Amino acid sequence: VRTYQPFINLWRCYALRHGLPFLLETDDTEVSPPHHRAANWMRWFAARRHLAFYRALLVVDPDEFVVPECWNMSIPAILGAWADGGAAPAVAMRDFGRPQTLNNGVVLVRNSPRGLFFLDLLLEKAAWMQTIEKDQGAFDETVLEVLGLEARAPVAAAAERGASLGGSGAGYGSECAQHVFPNAKGNHE
């Protein structure tokens, strides 16, 4: 905690400024022996435990911080996390450019069936060992799985009605999972 205390303090002040609750998880049961999980997983277990009590959670890595330009902007208000209806995202994260990957440093998860499903699907991978950046590889794979299910859903629904939307509706078959784990040389390529 000492290493990241300045960042934690910034998030606490940001939450107070915008009238938001602030949770700091210190229960390391899920990452202590006999589990041997990276500490990165603490926030995902905490999010799953606490999400039922909030409309949404902003799940943050301790090394992330709010830049001064964004200090007056309410992240939940911008993302519509507390909006009613289906327009609000179930899960939102930073966009990325090449050659970067997804980034799970700051992730908004709504208390919705899709948000809970996302967390459950991610936590199924908590026992994966030697994945790229501890929980990052499992997070990337979970995002691909959810997007694959969403891509398949309209095609399947149309088929049930006897209609066709065109396309295969194949979704995602975990073909990228091989890159989450190290190869025979120990590299993530």
Side-chain angles (χ1 to χ4, degrees), residues 8 12 18 42 52 70 73 80 101 109 118 121 130 142-143 154 165 167 178 183 185:
I8 293 168
R12 183 179 287 119
H18 294 283
M42 278 176 60
C70 296
M73 298 179 192
T101 182
V109 182
F118 179 86
L121 198 58
Q130 299 183 356
T142 301
V143 169
L165 293 178
Q178 63 182 328
N183 61 20
K185 295 179 183 176

Side-chain angles (χ1 to χ4, degrees), residues 77-106:
I78 292 168
L79 295 175
W82 282 258
D84 292 324
V91 178
M93 70 207 79
R94 166 181 91 73
D95 199 0
F96 63 96
R98 290 184 177 185
Q100 300 168 336
T101 182
L102 297 174
N103 188 302
N104 67 6
V106 178

